[in-house]
Amino acid sequence: MRVLIAASLMAAVALPLAAHARPSAAPALALTSAPAETPKVHRIEKLAENAYCIFGQGGNIGLIVTAKHAVLIDDQFERLVPGLVEAVRSVTDKPIKYLVNTHGHGDHVGGNVVLEKQVSAIIAHANVRRRMVTEQAKLEPAKRGGLPELALGSEDATERARLNIHLDGTEIHLLHMGPGHTNGDVIVGIPSALVMHMGDLFFLGMLPYVDVEGGGSFEGLVAQIASVAAWIPDGARIIPGHGPVCGKKDLLRYRDFLQAVQAHVKANAGKDAPALAASFDTAAWPEWKPRPDFVTWETLFSAALGKGPGRVTRP
Ligand SMILES: [Zn+2]
């Protein structure tokens, strides 16, 4: 079983791993008939009658199709939007009514600036909007845009927030449980399809990134994953922010992994991140691999100690 898991992860990890990195650094995979000038990177996986995952470069995208509309969850990068829309059109011609952002990182909201002209509203946590406003203040006015119009929650990230969308008889639940990957994460659930998009609260295939400087919290992440693991139904399909579509057993394993990291920190009080990384049984968790250009064992343990930035920073 371990071999099977490792093999499937290796295959999957080759696809969407442009996480937080330069989009051009990612491998491309074309299964759509996009025009020559459109980056051919998208691949669609059907998860339920009305729910899909779209892989490309950057964070995984969710697609929900209701009786009259489509809903997108995240949108990767601006330059990939034509290919993304083409991928959506390969399964439905219904208009995209809502775009939901799971959080504010550029590989999840980069397409907002283009898609805002095509959707009725962009929906995200209040801190996603706040983060984007701050980041866009540095840009030329002409390059700004794509801010969420509908913001749930408050700037106090510890305040839980929930929004239920009722669209053509399909319920879509947005849930913010506190600081985790960032200070503005939402989990998106489609109960009728037993599908959940967990955004970057869930990394599979590589070590998770906790954006400490963006209000994220390793302790909060562990608590959220443990909470979801306690109530997620058997048979649910989970879209992680990065990695292959998976299920409850993978989430339970992820919970165990995070709790092992947490326990290692507590059992070795006073040790710094390099010492913690060196003494942790990394071989016991082959599903989570370090990336020298992104999250290493040292940066993960640094985040677990409450120190940023939680990832390797470029000079
Ligand atoms: Zn992220």
Side-chain angles (χ1 to χ4, degrees), residues 19-20 102-108 181-182 185 199-201 203 209 211 241-242 294:
H20 308 274
T102 60
H103 64 291
H105 282 151
D107 62 325
H108 295 257
H181 173 63
T182 66
D185 305 294
D200 281 1
L201 291 168
F203 278 67
Y209 170 37
D211 183 359
H242 298 274
F294 185 38

Side-chain angles (χ1 to χ4, degrees), residues 171-186:
E171 277 190 40
I172 303 167
H173 296 171
L174 275 58
L175 180 63
H176 169 78
M177 301 173 70
H181 173 63
T182 66
N183 61 1
D185 305 294
V186 294

Side-chain angles (χ1 to χ4, degrees), residues 30-47:
L31 289 183
T32 60
S33 55
E37 68 274 13
T38 303
K40 296 180 178 177
V41 299
H42 297 101
R43 177 176 69 85
I44 298 187
E45 182 174 339
K46 185 169 185 172
L47 310 183

Side-chain angles (χ1 to χ4, degrees), residues 219-238:
E219 294 290 318
L221 175 67
V222 181
Q224 289 189 51
I225 296 303
S227 172
V228 175
W231 51 255
I232 191 171
D234 293 339
R237 307 293 305 279
I238 302 171

